[in-house]
Amino acid sequence: MEITSAQYVVMFGVNDNISATINGIKMTVPLDPANRHYAEILRQVAAGTLTIADAD
Amino acid sequence: MSKDKLTDYDATASGNLDVGGVSVAEGMLPSGVNNAIREQMSHLKDFASGTTGIDVLSLADDDASHSIKLQAPSAVTADTTFTLPDGDGASGQTMITDGAGTLSWAAPYGNRNLIINGAMQVAQRGTSFTASGFSLDRWYHQLSGGTSTTTQETFALGSEVAGCSKYLKQATSTGNDYCGLVYKVEDVKSIHQGKATFSFYAKGTNPAGGSYTVRIGRINTGTTFFDTPLNSTVTLTSSWQRFVYTFDVASFSGMGTIDNTSHVYISIHQPASDAGTAAWELNLTGVQLELGEQATPFEHRSYADELARCERYYVQQYAQTQTPAGGYMIVPIYFPTTMRATPTVSAVSAGSGNIAAGNQGISGLNSKGANFQVQSSANSNYVINRIDAYSAEL
């Protein structure tokens, strides 16, 4: 899974989801550990190969 | 010949000259009558208690013109005792065995196939795929460095296999190890300790090494294999064949944490030891995973049933709204079924209206639905039509 960007999206003052580009497709990834995309984002963050940018 | 049990008795009276060693021939001694009757009573007792059997049990109709017969097979390999259930059950029930001879009434078997879309009917994402990712619903097209195209194909009328009208074709022009198909059954506890059987219909050509790997693993959390109950091979021919694999499933002891990412991992792929680049073609349908050691006939489900099951893992939803000038609109989206987890969203057709993509989006995601929100500028009245894909695949 190639993740080229990841940024938090804030709703009502809290992080609601992550806007990410995965395999070239822009996706909205929920903050659910059971979601395979979020699990992969967490894995890559832990491995130091990906950083989740703060929300604008 | 001594007549020691009921099945020894002769249907012709004159053929019965001995009962358990007691002569009942013409001119027998009077004292022999008592002994003969006693022998007969012991034979009846043996019959009543099941010590000796009969070959056929015949149940005649009222005028004895016809009968219904119950009969054991011509060769019985082990003594078997069936214990009937108490009462006649409910209307529509069927009799089942616990595998130890105890019979009971139960609803007719159904839903035994743990594979969703095993007949390759549902193709929400499309019908042709070249990139690694999900292809026909629930089926992951794994390239692993190879080059292949997975398509949904339709059998010619009259040439269907096992009643399936569709099949999956993975045409690989450049092979590589692990290139193939992957399927994940939600919940590792779907197959429990005992026997399980995996079966499928396939034809095609083989990777460079001459065969595919057929593998079933158990994953309790994340992506790490706890064990691999099935690790076998299949060699395809140019004719459709059914391949059956019965395997042992160990207990869950030692698995540790089992969370909602647990699953049964199934793959049919070019073997790990075969990095050959030769082309191959895998045609597949009628895939079934079931408990027990029998491969029962492929369980057909209607397209509607299969689609509903698939939508737990992937669904496309349409949203439309009209936003007044300077307005802000939130449209609730309800999924047709509760999804496995909170899904990832990607646009299938985003912003097919007169509003910029940056002013619309999805939020409030959960496994039951989401919000589609649109914000229009101060002096414009916007209409927006949008289709999004929601994926909660494993």
Side-chain angles (χ1 to χ4, degrees):
Chain A
M1 196 180 295
E2 184 185 11
I3 304 175
T4 50
S5 71
Q7 181 178 30
Y8 283 111
V9 175
V10 169
M11 294 291 294
F12 306 113
V14 298
N15 288 335
D16 182 84
N17 60 68
I18 294 172
S19 179
T21 301
I22 303 174
N23 297 333
I25 299 171
K26 186 176 180 182
M27 297 183 179
T28 300
V29 180
L31 309 183
D32 180 355
N35 179 288
R36 69 189 187 98
H37 296 114
Y38 184 59
E40 179 62 17
I41 287 173
L42 293 182
R43 192 192 68 75
Q44 293 192 19
V45 168
T49 57
L50 179 69
T51 300
I52 308 173
D54 291 335
D56 290 331
Chain B
M1 174 187 168
S2 178
K3 310 293 187 186
D4 296 323
K5 54 186 183 295
L6 295 188
T7 51
D8 290 340
Y9 290 10
D10 199 307
T12 303
S14 60
N16 295 308
L17 302 175
D18 178 293
V19 178
V22 177
S23 173
V24 290
E26 200 76 28
M28 63 180 286
L29 294 173
S31 60
V33 175
N34 290 343
N35 293 333
I37 291 174
R38 289 168 180 165
E39 282 294 332
Q40 280 193 314
M41 292 174 72
S42 72
H43 295 167
L44 291 171
K45 175 59 179 174
D46 284 345
F47 171 67
S49 64
T51 305
T52 60
I54 57 174
D55 184 43
V56 179
L57 176 62
S58 178
L59 306 171
D61 60 9
D62 288 352
D63 64 0
S65 60
H66 295 90
S67 64
I68 293 173
K69 298 178 180 179
L70 300 177
Q71 186 172 21
S74 57
V76 180
T77 55
D79 290 343
T80 304
T81 300
F82 291 116
T83 302
L84 292 169
D86 183 18
D88 67 350
S91 176
Q93 285 191 315
T94 187
M95 189 178 289
I96 63 169
T97 175
D98 66 352
T102 300
L103 306 178
S104 60
W105 299 109
Y109 277 137
N111 297 323
R112 65 187 186 283
N113 188 4
L114 297 171
I115 303 295
I116 297 169
N117 204 25
M120 311 301 177
Q121 300 176 80
V122 183
Q124 293 186 85
R125 296 174 178 87
T127 56
S128 181
F129 308 86
T130 56
S132 272
F134 282 93
S135 57
L136 308 188
D137 277 56
R138 306 295 289 122
W139 290 96
Y140 191 88
H141 173 218
Q142 179 167 275
L143 292 179
S144 186
T147 303
S148 64
T149 300
T150 287
T151 53
Q152 183 190 47
E153 303 290 334
T154 302
F155 286 104
L157 291 175
S159 64
E160 296 85 355
V161 169
C164 299
S165 61
K166 304 281 188 183
Y167 62 97
L168 181 155
K169 180 169 87 173
Q170 184 172 12
T172 297
S173 56
T174 306
N176 207 343
D177 55 355
Y178 292 105
C179 183
L181 296 170
V182 173
Y183 186 100
K184 297 177 180 178
V185 179
E186 180 182 356
D187 189 359
V188 71
K189 290 185 175 178
S190 296
I191 53 172
H192 52 68
Q193 184 175 13
K195 298 280 188 183
T197 300
F198 181 56
S199 59
F200 56 84
Y201 293 84
K203 75 167 188 176
T205 56
N206 299 288
S211 65
Y212 296 85
T213 292
V214 178
R215 184 170 61 146
I216 294 183
R218 297 194 299 174
I219 293 178
N220 53 332
T221 179
T223 58
T224 304
F225 279 71
F226 173 73
D227 63 7
T228 306
L230 174 65
N231 195 352
S232 188
T233 62
V234 63
T235 300
L236 303 183
T237 70
S238 58
S239 300
W240 286 98
Q241 291 176 259
R242 191 181 200 194
F243 299 92
V244 175
Y245 304 82
T246 296
F247 54 96
D248 293 302
V249 181
S251 79
F252 300 113
S253 177
M255 268 201 178
T257 300
I258 297 175
D259 64 21
N260 59 353
T261 65
S262 78
H263 59 275
V264 179
Y265 182 103
I266 302 170
S267 60
I268 303 173
H269 60 81
Q270 190 166 331
S273 59
D274 178 6
T277 58
W280 50 259
E281 183 179 297
L282 168 63
N283 298 276
L284 184 70
T285 194
V287 187
Q288 183 152 290
L289 175 64
E290 58 193 313
L291 301 178
E293 54 191 316
Q294 297 295 325
T296 63
F298 178 72
E299 179 186 15
H300 289 277
R301 291 191 283 254
S302 70
Y303 179 84
D305 286 346
E306 292 283 29
L307 175 62
R309 290 167 190 251
C310 291
E311 287 176 338
R312 177 168 169 76
Y313 306 93
Y314 180 89
V315 66
Q316 294 185 1
Q317 289 289 87
Y318 172 74
Q320 185 206 45
T321 187
Q322 181 167 356
T323 309
Y328 188 82
M329 188 73 78
I330 295 179
V331 180
I333 294 172
Y334 302 100
F335 300 147
T337 188
T338 300
M339 301 193 78
R340 183 195 65 82
T342 307
T344 296
V345 189
S346 58
V348 175
S349 173
S352 58
N354 49 6
I355 189 169
N359 289 336
Q360 55 179 298
I362 298 292
S363 66
L365 276 168
N366 60 72
S367 61
K368 298 182 184 299
N371 292 321
F372 164 54
Q373 56 191 46
V374 181
Q375 185 173 17
S376 62
S377 61
N379 55 2
S380 296
N381 185 10
Y382 288 133
V383 175
I384 183 72
N385 300 293
R386 179 184 177 112
I387 300 174
D388 288 290
Y390 298 81
S391 173
E393 298 280 6
L394 283 156

